[in-house]
Short mmCIF file of all heavy atoms in Angstrom, two decimals:
data_model
loop_
_atom_site.label_atom_id
_atom_site.label_comp_id
_atom_site.label_asym_id
_atom_site.label_seq_id
_atom_site.Cartn_x
_atom_site.Cartn_y
_atom_site.Cartn_z
N PRO A 79 147.22 109.67 36.26
CA PRO A 79 147.75 108.37 36.70
C PRO A 79 149.13 108.17 36.09
O PRO A 79 149.34 108.43 34.90
CB PRO A 79 146.73 107.38 36.14
CG PRO A 79 145.47 108.18 35.96
CD PRO A 79 145.93 109.54 35.57
N LEU A 80 150.08 107.71 36.90
CA LEU A 80 151.47 107.71 36.43
C LEU A 80 151.66 106.84 35.18
O LEU A 80 152.53 107.14 34.35
CB LEU A 80 152.41 107.27 37.55
CG LEU A 80 153.89 107.54 37.31
CD1 LEU A 80 154.16 108.97 36.89
CD2 LEU A 80 154.70 107.21 38.55
N HIS A 81 150.86 105.80 35.05
CA HIS A 81 151.05 104.97 33.86
C HIS A 81 150.68 105.72 32.57
O HIS A 81 150.93 105.23 31.48
CB HIS A 81 150.28 103.64 33.98
CG HIS A 81 148.79 103.79 34.06
ND1 HIS A 81 148.14 103.97 35.25
CD2 HIS A 81 147.84 103.77 33.11
CE1 HIS A 81 146.83 104.05 35.03
NE2 HIS A 81 146.63 103.95 33.73
N LYS A 82 150.11 106.93 32.73
CA LYS A 82 149.76 107.73 31.55
C LYS A 82 150.71 108.92 31.36
O LYS A 82 150.41 109.82 30.57
CB LYS A 82 148.32 108.23 31.67
CG LYS A 82 147.31 107.09 31.66
CD LYS A 82 145.89 107.61 31.57
CE LYS A 82 144.93 106.44 31.35
NZ LYS A 82 143.52 106.85 31.43
N TYR A 83 151.84 108.94 32.07
CA TYR A 83 152.66 110.15 32.06
C TYR A 83 153.19 110.49 30.67
O TYR A 83 153.38 111.66 30.34
CB TYR A 83 153.80 110.06 33.08
CG TYR A 83 155.02 109.28 32.66
CD1 TYR A 83 156.17 109.91 32.19
CD2 TYR A 83 155.03 107.88 32.74
CE1 TYR A 83 157.29 109.19 31.82
CE2 TYR A 83 156.16 107.16 32.37
CZ TYR A 83 157.28 107.81 31.90
OH TYR A 83 158.39 107.10 31.53
N LYS A 84 153.41 109.47 29.84
CA LYS A 84 153.94 109.78 28.52
C LYS A 84 152.88 110.41 27.60
O LYS A 84 153.21 110.92 26.53
CB LYS A 84 154.53 108.53 27.89
CG LYS A 84 155.90 108.20 28.50
CD LYS A 84 156.58 107.07 27.77
CE LYS A 84 157.98 106.86 28.34
NZ LYS A 84 158.55 105.56 27.97
N ASN A 101 152.51 109.55 41.80
CA ASN A 101 153.21 108.47 42.51
C ASN A 101 153.19 107.21 41.66
O ASN A 101 152.22 106.95 40.95
CB ASN A 101 152.49 108.15 43.82
CG ASN A 101 152.67 109.24 44.85
OD1 ASN A 101 153.79 109.59 45.21
ND2 ASN A 101 151.56 109.80 45.31
N TYR A 102 154.26 106.45 41.82
CA TYR A 102 154.24 105.11 41.24
C TYR A 102 153.82 104.14 42.33
O TYR A 102 154.52 103.99 43.34
CB TYR A 102 155.60 104.70 40.68
CG TYR A 102 155.58 103.27 40.20
CD1 TYR A 102 154.59 102.85 39.29
CD2 TYR A 102 156.49 102.33 40.66
CE1 TYR A 102 154.53 101.54 38.87
CE2 TYR A 102 156.44 101.02 40.23
CZ TYR A 102 155.45 100.63 39.34
OH TYR A 102 155.38 99.32 38.92
N TRP A 103 152.70 103.53 42.12
CA TRP A 103 152.17 102.57 43.07
C TRP A 103 151.58 101.42 42.26
O TRP A 103 150.54 101.56 41.64
CB TRP A 103 151.10 103.24 43.94
CG TRP A 103 150.80 102.51 45.21
CD1 TRP A 103 151.63 101.68 45.92
CD2 TRP A 103 149.57 102.52 45.92
NE1 TRP A 103 151.00 101.20 47.02
CE2 TRP A 103 149.73 101.70 47.06
CE3 TRP A 103 148.34 103.16 45.72
CZ2 TRP A 103 148.72 101.49 47.98
CZ3 TRP A 103 147.33 102.96 46.65
CH2 TRP A 103 147.52 102.14 47.76
N SER A 104 152.33 100.32 42.23
CA SER A 104 151.96 99.23 41.31
C SER A 104 150.59 98.65 41.62
O SER A 104 149.94 98.07 40.75
CB SER A 104 153.03 98.14 41.31
OG SER A 104 153.19 97.60 42.59
N THR A 106 147.88 100.24 42.04
CA THR A 106 146.89 100.90 41.19
C THR A 106 147.39 101.10 39.76
O THR A 106 146.60 101.07 38.82
CB THR A 106 146.49 102.28 41.74
OG1 THR A 106 147.68 103.05 41.94
CG2 THR A 106 145.76 102.15 43.06
N ASP A 107 148.70 101.30 39.60
CA ASP A 107 149.23 101.57 38.27
C ASP A 107 149.55 100.31 37.48
O ASP A 107 149.74 100.36 36.27
CB ASP A 107 150.52 102.40 38.37
CG ASP A 107 150.25 103.85 38.75
OD1 ASP A 107 149.46 104.50 38.05
OD2 ASP A 107 150.81 104.32 39.74
N GLY A 108 149.62 99.16 38.20
CA GLY A 108 150.16 97.96 37.56
C GLY A 108 151.67 98.08 37.52
O GLY A 108 152.23 99.14 37.81
N ASP A 109 152.35 97.00 37.18
CA ASP A 109 153.82 97.06 37.09
C ASP A 109 154.20 97.80 35.80
O ASP A 109 153.82 97.39 34.71
CB ASP A 109 154.40 95.64 37.04
CG ASP A 109 154.37 94.99 38.41
OD1 ASP A 109 154.03 95.68 39.40
OD2 ASP A 109 154.67 93.79 38.49
N ILE A 110 154.93 98.90 35.96
CA ILE A 110 155.37 99.66 34.79
C ILE A 110 156.88 99.53 34.68
O ILE A 110 157.61 99.91 35.61
CB ILE A 110 155.00 101.16 34.91
CG1 ILE A 110 153.54 101.33 35.31
CG2 ILE A 110 155.28 101.89 33.60
CD1 ILE A 110 153.13 102.77 35.54
N ALA A 111 157.33 99.00 33.58
CA ALA A 111 158.76 98.74 33.40
C ALA A 111 159.59 100.00 33.62
O ALA A 111 160.68 99.95 34.20
CB ALA A 111 159.01 98.16 32.02
N ASP A 112 159.08 101.15 33.16
CA ASP A 112 159.83 102.42 33.29
C ASP A 112 160.24 102.67 34.75
O ASP A 112 161.26 103.29 35.01
CB ASP A 112 158.95 103.61 32.87
CG ASP A 112 158.78 103.70 31.38
OD1 ASP A 112 159.21 102.77 30.69
OD2 ASP A 112 158.21 104.70 30.91
N PHE A 113 159.41 102.20 35.68
CA PHE A 113 159.67 102.48 37.09
C PHE A 113 160.22 101.27 37.82
O PHE A 113 161.05 101.40 38.71
CB PHE A 113 158.38 103.00 37.76
CG PHE A 113 157.89 104.27 37.11
CD1 PHE A 113 156.91 104.22 36.14
CD2 PHE A 113 158.45 105.49 37.44
CE1 PHE A 113 156.47 105.38 35.51
CE2 PHE A 113 158.03 106.66 36.82
CZ PHE A 113 157.04 106.60 35.85
N GLU A 114 159.76 100.08 37.44
CA GLU A 114 160.24 98.86 38.11
C GLU A 114 161.73 98.65 37.84
O GLU A 114 162.47 98.21 38.71
CB GLU A 114 159.45 97.64 37.61
CG GLU A 114 158.01 97.58 38.09
CD GLU A 114 157.89 97.26 39.57
OE1 GLU A 114 158.83 96.69 40.14
OE2 GLU A 114 156.84 97.60 40.14
N ALA A 115 162.14 98.92 36.61
CA ALA A 115 163.51 98.60 36.21
C ALA A 115 164.39 99.84 36.24
O ALA A 115 165.31 99.98 35.44
CB ALA A 115 163.49 98.00 34.80
N ASP A 116 164.10 100.74 37.16
CA ASP A 116 164.84 102.01 37.19
C ASP A 116 165.07 102.40 38.63
O ASP A 116 164.13 102.42 39.42
CB ASP A 116 164.01 103.08 36.46
CG ASP A 116 164.87 104.25 36.02
OD1 ASP A 116 165.65 104.77 36.86
OD2 ASP A 116 164.77 104.67 34.86
#
Side-chain angles (χ1 to χ4, degrees):
L80 194 51
H81 64 272
K82 296 188 171 172
Y83 80 100
K84 284 187 175 163
N101 289 302
Y102 175 53
W103 198 27
S104 59
T106 54
D107 286 305
D109 285 353
I110 311 176
D112 286 8
F113 300 96
E114 289 289 339
D116 200 311

